[in-house]
């Protein structure tokens, strides 16, 4: 039984650095305090707090009903959103898979240059609970930022599940060999840049429409998610509780510059 407040932040240290593929790096983050981390399922999202250039340890927020409260508002850390790929209560670790897209973003740069012992903050998990709804047929669509969530959700899905998994990955070597794909689920892969999005959308549009007993989970770059949500909602008439369609990032925009537009899209 968890006694902690569900809204809490933790300072964690990089314990292990595992290169999963050329574009994906797993950081295993440790703190003794994670022993009673309010984890419920892998694939939930969390905020990470990164120290600014002048600091080695980020300030952690307090949680108010309206988001974060900062003790020292002039010294806020950089905040980004990531996915819990794994939680190990015995080892007191949380693992996050970071896309290495270069030094152009603080989170990607942190992952690229991480060394054992580096300190970041993580929040307790948020997002829909459960994220995966029981369904007759499933559809998962994502780019490499959504791969950690899709891989996590597939590892929890019943082995009789059927449906389709559609992935857009930078390179064939980014496809995990350990993906727990039930026998009755088909995997469809697209490799390369965002220029593959139209082909991916054409593929998904050709699937038989999902219906109200089914469930669709879509996340990734905004220009991929927008037309797919339109397909799910307007063409296939899937009710809101039968699909999750969230833009995880937008090409050319930082998490800060895209934040408001993302929330407007999600709330629409
Ligand atoms: C619920 C949720 C869960 C997420 N889970 C994960 C996860 O587990 N792993 C993960 O890697 N990402 C995940 N993301 C996406 C991640 O939050 C964004 O990619 C974020 O912008 C990365 O921050 P940054 O500091 O590296 O780059 P930013 O400072 O935000 O952006 C700097 C520049 O990099 C570009 N950029 C950002 N992300 C990418 C990318 N993936 N590829 C190429 N260019 C990019 C931006 O467009 C911008 O031009 C998740 C997002 C959400 C909303």
């Amino acid at each position: 039984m968890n006694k902690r407040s569900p809204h809490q932040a933790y300072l964690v240290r990089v314990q292990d650095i595992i290169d999963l593929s050329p574009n994906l790096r797993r950081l295993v983050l440790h703190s003794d305090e994670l022993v009673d981390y309010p984890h419920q399922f892998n694939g939930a999202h969390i905020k990470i707090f990164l120290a600014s250039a002048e600091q080695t340890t980020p300030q952690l927020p307090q949680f108010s009903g309206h988001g974060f409260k900062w003790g020292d508002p002039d010294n806020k850390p950089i905040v980004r959103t990531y996915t819990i790929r794994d939680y190990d209560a015995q080892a007191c670790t949380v693992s996050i898979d970071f896309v290495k897209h270069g030094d152009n973003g603080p989170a990607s740069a942190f992952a690229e240059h991480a060394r054992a012992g580096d300190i970041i903050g993580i929040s307790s998990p948020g997002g829909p609970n459960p994220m995966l709804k029981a369904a007759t047929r499933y559809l998962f669509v994502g780019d490499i930022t959504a791969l950690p969530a899709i891989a996590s959700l597939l590892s929890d899905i019943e082995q009789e599940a059927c449906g389709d998994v559609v992935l857009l990955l930078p390179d064939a070597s980014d496809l995990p060999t350990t993906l727990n794909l039930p026998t009755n689920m088909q995997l469809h892969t697209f490799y390369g840049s965002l220029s593959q999005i139209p082909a991916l959308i054409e593929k998904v549009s050709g699937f038989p429409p999902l219906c109200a007993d089914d469930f669709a989970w879509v996340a990734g770059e905004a220009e991929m998610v927008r037309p797919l949500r339109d397909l799910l909602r307007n063409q296939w008439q899937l009710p809101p509780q039968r699909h999750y369609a969230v833009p995880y990032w937008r090409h050319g925009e930082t998490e800060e510059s895209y934040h408001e537009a993302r929330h407007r899209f999600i709330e629409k």
Side-chain angles (χ1 to χ4, degrees):
M1 172 91 171
N2 201 308
K3 297 188 195 73
R4 277 182 195 280
S5 149
H7 301 294
Q8 190 169 338
Y10 305 76
L11 285 178
V12 293
R13 282 179 190 275
V14 175
Q15 184 179 72
D16 272 318
I17 301 166
I18 302 164
D19 281 320
L20 300 170
S21 73
N23 297 295
L24 209 56
R25 170 169 284 182
R26 176 165 301 164
L27 298 186
V28 182
L29 305 164
H30 173 268
S31 159
D32 288 343
E33 287 202 347
L34 296 179
V35 67
D36 55 2
Y37 188 64
H39 172 265
Q40 278 162 321
F41 57 93
N42 293 330
H45 68 246
I46 55 173
K47 296 293 178 191
I48 66 168
F49 306 103
L50 299 165
S52 58
E54 312 78 57
Q55 309 164 318
T56 50
T57 303
Q59 181 187 176
L60 294 183
Q62 314 272 296
F63 292 89
S64 72
H66 309 285
F68 303 138
K69 259 180 32 194
W70 300 100
D72 178 2
D74 295 331
N75 239 329
K76 290 185 202 161
I78 297 151
V79 183
R80 292 288 181 267
T81 311
Y82 278 82
T83 302
I84 299 178
R85 179 63 185 90
D86 189 37
Y87 167 64
D88 183 333
Q90 247 183 342
C92 297
T93 56
V94 161
S95 297
I96 300 177
D97 294 352
F98 288 79
V99 177
K100 297 194 298 173
H101 60 84
D103 281 352
N104 57 342
S108 172
F110 176 80
E112 299 245 14
H113 301 289
R115 286 179 310 181
D118 285 353
I119 300 174
I120 65 168
I122 62 169
S123 71
S124 42
N129 183 6
M131 186 172 264
L132 197 61
K133 308 272 167 65
T136 308
R137 196 174 135 219
Y138 294 90
L139 171 64
F140 295 93
V141 189
D143 68 10
I144 189 169
T145 64
L147 180 61
I150 292 177
S152 295
L153 295 172
L154 286 177
S155 67
D156 290 341
I157 210 166
E158 67 275 9
Q159 279 311 301
E160 302 70 41
C162 66
D164 296 277
V165 179
V166 187
L167 297 174
L168 169 55
L169 303 175
D171 193 89
S173 57
D174 292 313
L175 182 68
T177 49
T178 53
L179 210 59
N180 178 40
L181 197 71
T183 330
N184 291 329
M185 291 194 93
Q186 308 297 317
L187 178 65
H188 313 265
T189 48
F190 293 82
Y191 296 119
S193 67
L194 299 177
S195 65
Q196 293 292 315
I197 288 176
L200 179 148
I201 289 166
E202 198 183 324
K203 177 86 192 171
V204 178
S205 306
F207 290 159
L210 297 188
C211 59
D213 293 335
D214 300 333
F215 184 70
W217 192 100
V218 177
E221 204 280 329
E223 288 309 303
M224 188 188 91
V225 174
R226 190 183 40 76
L228 288 175
R229 189 180 76 169
D230 184 56
L231 174 78
L232 299 173
R233 278 193 181 176
N234 302 328
Q235 296 184 47
W236 292 0
Q237 299 280 308
L238 267 195
Q241 66 278 17
R242 302 312 296 175
H243 67 276
Y244 170 97
V246 175
Y248 273 12
W249 64 288
R250 185 191 263 172
H251 178 67
E253 298 215 33
T254 65
E255 177 141 335
E256 288 88 356
S257 68
Y258 181 46
H259 182 82
E260 298 235 327
R262 175 144 66 87
H263 279 269
R264 276 201 305 276
F265 176 85
I266 292 170
E267 280 145 29
K268 215 160 65 181

